[in-house]
Amino acid sequence: MATNAIDQTRRMLSLVTYLRERPGAHVQDVARAFGITEDELISDLDVLPMCGTSFRGGDLLDIDTDGDRIWWHNPDDVAEPLRLAADEATALLVAARAVATLPGLRESDRDALVRATAKLETAAGESGAASSRLSVTFEAEGGVFADVDRAISERRRLWLRYYSPARDELTEREVDPIRLFAVGHTYMEGWCRLSEARRTFRLDRVAEIRLLDAPAAPPELELRDLSAGLVQPAAEDPEVVIEVSTGGRWVAEYYPHDSAEELPDGGLRITLRTPDPASLRRLALRLGGDGRIVAPPELADSAREAAREALAAYEDAV
């Protein structure tokens, strides 16, 4: 069952209190008490030792397990009241106020956040007053994130109007969300009912979103390992060669590639692989005079034709 980040954070905060009161607790008993698998519990325990009483380090939680029992070796060391520096208190207050304005946030969570913010502001004194003069504005995807997070939490299906850059069109589809993750941008992984397959959606490309009453029921899928990046070309994917000038060197930073050879004019000759070479025509149009597709020749011809059509359309419009 997919678990979102907010649910996991709530559980881990409760886990700290639970373990403090039960030294040497059995893994099986703790997992049963929290309604999770032993593997999920072990995953939480792998994260907790990286947590502590200060954003700058401080005393960390010394929690470990031998696979059967869980031991917390320094509960008294981290039990002292938390003291925040002025910049830490300001950062927390600004972030809390911004999050409280997100659309789609559950009212119970919003109320709890507002109460916690008020207490923190009182404790912060002058720092809290100064923070009220600062504000954060979220990009449009903030509301989409809140809706997706709520759909995951409530196990509900989503309706999307989504922009597909490969086809340059907006499509409508229903999606059973699986998880949220960030790799450069923020993405939702879900089961798309339109294509009947697993798909990944970039949140800033969602033009419209709506929670449906239908329950989300994605098939049991093994989550992909994203440690090597979102796009992981296969060795059998077609090879594409692109030459860019100095103004197009950013392509090597954004596209996974096999090689990037320096050119005499300061540009690059980039070799990459993609399962859908035709999708790179939009890249060629975006580059304009800063780059061109060299191979395969049929893709290069297609990109030139697309450029001619775009230019003709522009001339007709003016």
Side-chain angles (χ1 to χ4, degrees):
M1 182 68 66
T3 302
N4 65 43
I6 292 178
D7 287 337
Q8 185 180 22
T9 302
R10 289 196 191 100
R11 183 176 70 232
M12 291 175 67
L13 289 172
S14 300
L15 187 59
V16 169
T17 302
Y18 186 93
L19 293 177
R20 177 179 172 80
E21 298 172 354
R22 296 168 177 80
H26 288 279
V27 170
Q28 183 178 7
D29 295 338
V30 177
R32 186 185 304 114
F34 282 82
I36 58 177
T37 67
E38 293 184 22
D39 286 342
E40 288 175 317
L41 174 60
I42 296 300
S43 178
D44 287 350
L45 295 178
D46 288 340
V47 174
L48 282 177
M50 292 181 254
C51 304
T53 58
S54 171
F55 297 140
R56 297 186 175 86
D59 295 321
L60 299 180
L61 304 178
D62 187 5
I63 296 176
D64 66 28
T65 177
D66 58 7
D68 177 43
R69 306 183 74 180
I70 304 168
W71 303 99
W72 186 354
H73 302 291
N74 65 338
D76 296 329
D77 293 342
V78 296
E80 297 180 0
L82 178 63
R83 288 178 171 82
L84 297 175
D87 59 334
E88 292 175 329
T90 299
L92 270 177
L93 286 166
V94 171
R97 293 192 187 101
V99 171
T101 66
L102 284 176
L105 192 66
R106 284 180 296 241
E107 284 307 312
S108 59
D109 291 337
R110 195 189 310 276
D111 291 343
L113 184 58
V114 170
R115 290 195 300 272
T117 302
K119 292 178 181 178
L120 179 58
E121 187 172 15
T122 300
E126 293 183 3
S127 298
S131 71
S132 64
R133 296 192 292 270
L134 303 174
S135 64
V136 173
T137 301
F138 286 99
E139 296 180 359
E141 72 177 52
V144 177
F145 181 98
D147 284 337
V148 174
D149 181 73
R150 180 180 173 188
I152 293 173
S153 176
E154 298 178 4
R155 301 184 182 90
R156 291 168 62 181
R157 186 170 298 173
L158 288 166
W159 173 87
L160 307 177
R161 287 183 68 240
Y162 185 76
Y163 173 69
S164 174
R167 295 191 296 272
D168 191 23
E169 65 179 5
L170 283 168
T171 59
E172 296 184 10
R173 58 187 77 202
E174 293 185 4
V175 179
D176 292 344
I178 296 174
R179 63 170 170 170
L180 283 160
F181 63 90
V183 181
H185 295 276
T186 306
Y187 297 85
M188 171 185 67
E189 186 173 20
W191 184 260
C192 177
R193 294 291 170 178
L194 179 64
S195 57
E196 287 299 319
R198 173 164 50 187
R199 291 289 184 266
T200 300
F201 303 92
R202 214 171 93 175
L203 296 197
D204 61 352
R205 291 177 178 162
V206 175
E208 190 176 352
I209 186 170
R210 188 165 65 244
L211 275 76
L212 302 178
D213 292 332
E220 292 292 333
L221 298 171
E222 182 178 353
L223 297 181
R224 293 188 298 154
D225 179 9
L226 299 172
S227 58
L230 179 61
V231 180
Q232 302 171 28
E236 62 272 14
D237 287 342
E239 184 178 272
V240 178
V241 179
I242 302 173
E243 289 187 355
V244 299
S245 65
T246 53
R249 292 178 68 96
W250 58 266
V251 173
E253 300 176 10
Y254 284 86
Y255 287 80
H257 54 275
D258 295 337
S259 64
E261 304 171 19
E262 293 284 346
L263 296 176
D265 63 356
L268 293 173
R269 183 182 177 90
I270 303 169
T271 302
L272 54 84
R273 296 181 182 277
T274 173
D276 183 17
S279 65
L280 294 179
R281 283 180 301 188
R282 287 186 57 79
L283 172 62
L285 291 174
R286 180 179 177 185
L287 284 168
D290 286 327
R292 65 189 183 96
I293 295 175
V294 177
E298 60 271 18
L299 179 59
D301 292 341
S302 175
R304 281 192 291 270
E305 180 60 29
R308 283 193 290 266
E309 292 175 356
L311 181 60
Y314 174 78
E315 291 175 344
D316 290 341
V318 297

